[in-house]
Amino acid sequence: MMLQTNLDRAATLKFPSQAVINGKLVGAKTGKTFANIGPRDGKPLNQVAEGDAADIDAAVAAARAAFEDGRWRNKHPREKKRIMFKLAELMERDLEELALLETLDMGKPISDTRAIDIPTAINSIRWYAEALDKVYGEVATTPVERLSYVVREPLGVVGAIVPWNFPLHMACWKVAPALAMGNSIVLKPAEQSPSTALKLGQLALEAGVPDGVLNVVPGLGEGAGQALARHMDVDLIAFTGSGEVGRKLMSYSGESNLKRVALELGGKSPQIVFADAENLDAAAEAAAWGIFFNQGEICNAASRLLVEEKIKDAFLAKVIEKSGKYMPGDPLDPRSVAGAIVSEGQMRRVMGYVGKAQAEGATLALGGKQVRTESGGYYIEPTVFDKVANTHTLAREEVFGPVLGVISFKTEEEAVKLANDTVYGLASGLWTANISRAHRVSRQLRAGLVWINGWDACDITVPFGGAKQSGFGRDRSLHALEKYTELKGISITYA
Ligand code: NDP
């Protein structure tokens, strides 16, 4: 589809603006709204209901009532599956609309929202629908006069708080397994990107998800988000976002009802390139993609590139050559490979890190500037710093933007030490043709994910989540079901 066609469609697009609570589309009880700003041109897209504690109360009450009367949890598994498949079908029907909403809300290229974000979200719904009747309980090895069995039961009311970098995709990583296990949900999307979550709530109703089972309350983090996380009748907060908010969620839990908290936080993920890598061109491609995909606004961004010293200069030249295609363009232009940064605040934050890297002595090898300023939107060119020390702020803190730091090493031991010298532990990667080294190093890396000779080899079948301050709990795969269920042991003693 051409840019003009996308512009025409965007001009007539209807942005969802109301919360979805107990099967109804409603405004905030206070009547308040907030402006949803489009990062493509810095202009408001629409006004959205600003939910707060009263709206969260209503949504949690609806979710609890739905859970208690079993309208979803006790449905025949075949029926739950049919409804979730229907939801996936409706998302596919509205894929173009969802892709446009996501691109305009968040600034990412339309080619990505069409080919990656929305299809991945749909796949999550389908995958967990397929899984829901394939999870078995256990029979324990008890003395012969007793039978003990272990079942997984839904937790109850799940609060899902999601970020703006993959709005629908992250929402579905949580909503799909939570629904599949029979829970009721209150979803709080990020203020920067509420549209697709609200649309998901509407489509769920159309698909036949009963009223009150999936509620979506837009609002601000300190308002609706905090009220949800402090609520006395929420059983779990499933969160993706910053470590700063992750810490608050744990305090809120301690200060309220000790609800469970599952955190998928950020990273400072290392990609290690050894001189013996078989295909340095592919490694350079992955180095660029690993940091510039999604404008670098990705928790598992390969933001630290560790390169063996003897190939560093030649390899850096290759990375710089591959980085050119990530020069941002109009997110609505199907030819754009990179788009806008999500907000003015995030753009300033990223530019702050660029300034700090220079001040601390790293060498700017590419980019470093805002571009497309005439659009009114928020764009930063792909930026690469050479001669970064692992002690520099650029190597320690999550930038969440298109900024790569290159660090060189001499030995395998030093590479592993540098890779692990971070408070984070989400993803990591290495390039080598030596199979012993590949296995040895991958076992030494402290991270939830290790990719060998590739980056972001993601699949719904493989758990996603981190070690150390990258959080705990896993999204994706059957392991994700664990956090949405309670284990119950039942024992029958024979007469
Ligand atoms: P946040 O962690 O602040 O936001 C994530 C979600 O948490 C949003 O829905 C937000 O709501 C909500 N939230 C914010 N404050 C609270 C609170 N007190 N109680 C409950 N919920 C709350 O991320 P930001 O959007 O501010 O981004 C800041 C930095 O965080 C980024 O630069 C990046 O480093 C990191 N980040 C990491 C992500 C990841 O995938 N790991 C994703 C996004 C950001 P609202 O947005 O409406 O305020």
Side-chain angles (χ1 to χ4, degrees):
M1 226 175 270
M2 310 287 289
L3 170 61
Q4 192 52 51
T5 318
N6 289 336
L7 288 168
D8 294 344
R9 296 189 64 161
T12 56
L13 193 63
K14 205 169 165 317
F15 286 84
S17 61
Q18 291 184 299
V20 181
I21 298 177
N22 206 16
K24 299 199 174 45
L25 308 193
V26 292
K29 284 185 191 296
T30 58
K32 274 170 74 176
T33 60
F34 64 93
N36 178 20
I37 308 291
R40 176 177 167 267
D41 57 8
K43 296 198 179 111
L45 297 165
N46 66 331
Q47 289 291 128
V48 180
E50 187 183 323
D52 66 11
D55 306 286
I56 290 290
D57 273 348
V60 172
R64 178 59 63 192
F67 187 75
E68 291 304 328
D69 71 19
R71 71 187 82 159
W72 175 251
R73 136 177 97 110
N74 292 341
K75 253 193 206 320
H76 195 293
R78 238 187 350 251
E79 183 61 3
K80 279 195 216 132
K81 185 186 298 202
R82 187 190 65 72
I83 293 171
M84 286 182 71
F85 276 140
K86 180 73 186 169
L87 172 58
E89 204 180 298
L90 296 176
M91 290 166 78
E92 224 149 42
R93 179 196 71 190
D94 292 350
L95 192 148
E96 276 302 316
E97 183 186 344
L98 287 163
L100 269 176
L101 288 171
E102 204 79 307
T103 284
L104 290 166
D105 257 14
M106 192 275 167
K108 63 173 81 192
I110 188 77
S111 53
D112 283 355
T113 49
R114 275 191 189 129
I116 300 173
D117 289 72
I118 311 305
T120 310
I122 294 169
N123 188 44
S124 293
I125 301 283
R126 282 223 170 90
W127 199 84
Y128 285 104
E130 282 164 357
L132 68 82
D133 57 0
K134 295 173 187 66
V135 181
Y136 289 81
E138 298 160 11
V139 176
T141 314
T142 50
V144 70
E145 68 276 8
R146 202 185 311 140
L147 170 69
S148 294
Y149 58 100
V150 183
V151 289
R152 284 200 171 275
E153 294 190 336
L155 263 190
V157 176
V158 170
I161 301 181
V162 294
W164 42 260
N165 58 336
F166 290 90
L168 188 64
H169 178 166
M170 290 298 109
C172 289
W173 271 12
K174 305 197 189 301
V175 165
L179 270 184
M181 289 295 98
N183 296 281
S184 297
I185 302 157
V186 179
L187 168 64
K188 208 292 288 172
E191 67 194 71
Q192 298 86 345
S193 56
S195 301
T196 49
L198 294 173
K199 179 81 187 168
L200 178 72
Q202 295 176 11
L203 291 177
L205 293 177
E206 188 181 340
V209 174
D211 294 355
V213 172
L214 175 58
N215 306 275
V216 187
V217 183
L220 309 186
E222 289 291 343
Q226 180 170 186
L228 184 60
R230 284 188 182 278
H231 205 286
M232 294 301 287
D233 205 20
V234 169
D235 298 294
L236 161 76
I237 291 291
F239 174 74
T240 298
S242 64
E244 191 189 331
V245 174
R247 284 184 167 78
K248 288 186 187 173
L249 298 178
M250 292 188 74
S251 309
Y252 299 160
S253 165
E255 288 158 16
S256 57
N257 63 341
L258 288 176
K259 60 179 66 62
R260 291 162 195 206
V261 178
L263 303 177
E264 199 272 273
L265 310 174
K268 199 70 222 177
S269 299
Q271 182 159 210
I272 309 171
V273 182
F274 289 101
D276 66 7
E278 193 177 342
N279 187 343
L280 285 173
D281 275 315
E285 194 74 63
W289 185 70
I291 184 67
F292 300 130
F293 168 59
N294 211 47
Q295 303 71 241
E297 296 162 317
I298 177 163
C299 48
N300 58 275
S303 53
R304 286 186 302 147
L305 180 63
L306 310 188
V307 189
E308 194 164 340
E309 197 175 78
K310 61 184 173 206
I311 60 159
K312 200 266 289 170
D313 288 338
F315 188 71
L316 178 57
K318 277 185 198 288
V319 173
I320 286 175
E321 183 212 315
K322 312 273 185 201
S323 301
K325 70 173 176 219
Y326 296 95
M327 186 58 86
D330 186 337
L332 286 177
D333 189 333
R335 292 164 302 182
S336 297
V337 176
I341 300 293
V342 71
S343 66
E344 191 176 359
Q346 185 66 14
M347 181 179 69
R348 290 195 192 296
R349 194 172 176 273
V350 175
M351 290 308 293
Y353 281 109
V354 170
K356 214 175 253 183
Q358 281 169 307
E360 290 181 2
T363 305
L364 184 63
L366 181 73
K369 293 191 300 298
Q370 277 173 242
V371 287
R372 296 178 54 81
T373 47
E374 72 293 346
S375 66
Y378 319 123
Y379 301 86
I380 298 177
E381 55 187 342
T383 297
V384 179
F385 280 99
D386 188 15
K387 299 192 171 59
V388 173
N390 209 43
T391 48
H392 287 169
T393 308
L394 185 63
R396 315 287 323 160
E397 295 183 13
E398 185 174 46
V399 174
F400 232 63
V403 186
L404 176 66
V406 181
I407 301 171
S408 59
F409 66 86
K410 286 199 181 73
T411 62
E412 179 184 307
E413 195 187 5
E414 190 192 357
V416 170
K417 201 159 168 242
L418 285 166
N420 286 337
D421 179 17
T422 168
V423 297
Y424 294 111
L426 185 54
S428 56
L430 63 139
W431 291 79
T432 179
N434 178 333
I435 191 157
S436 301
R437 167 176 273 172
H439 286 294
R440 187 169 59 236
V441 172
S442 60
R443 294 301 297 266
Q444 289 171 350
L445 292 169
R446 280 202 68 202
L449 293 145
V450 180
W451 294 305
I452 301 166
N453 295 338
W455 185 261
D456 208 354
C458 272
D459 196 88
I460 186 85
T461 54
V462 182
F464 187 98
K468 302 198 276 185
Q469 290 183 33
S470 289
F472 45 83
R474 293 293 183 262
D475 287 319
R476 297 193 322 206
S477 82
L478 294 180
H479 290 285
L481 301 176
E482 290 156 17
K483 65 174 177 274
Y484 299 106
T485 52
E486 183 89 82
L487 275 185
K488 182 186 275 181
I490 301 174
S491 296
I492 308 171
T493 302
Y494 307 138

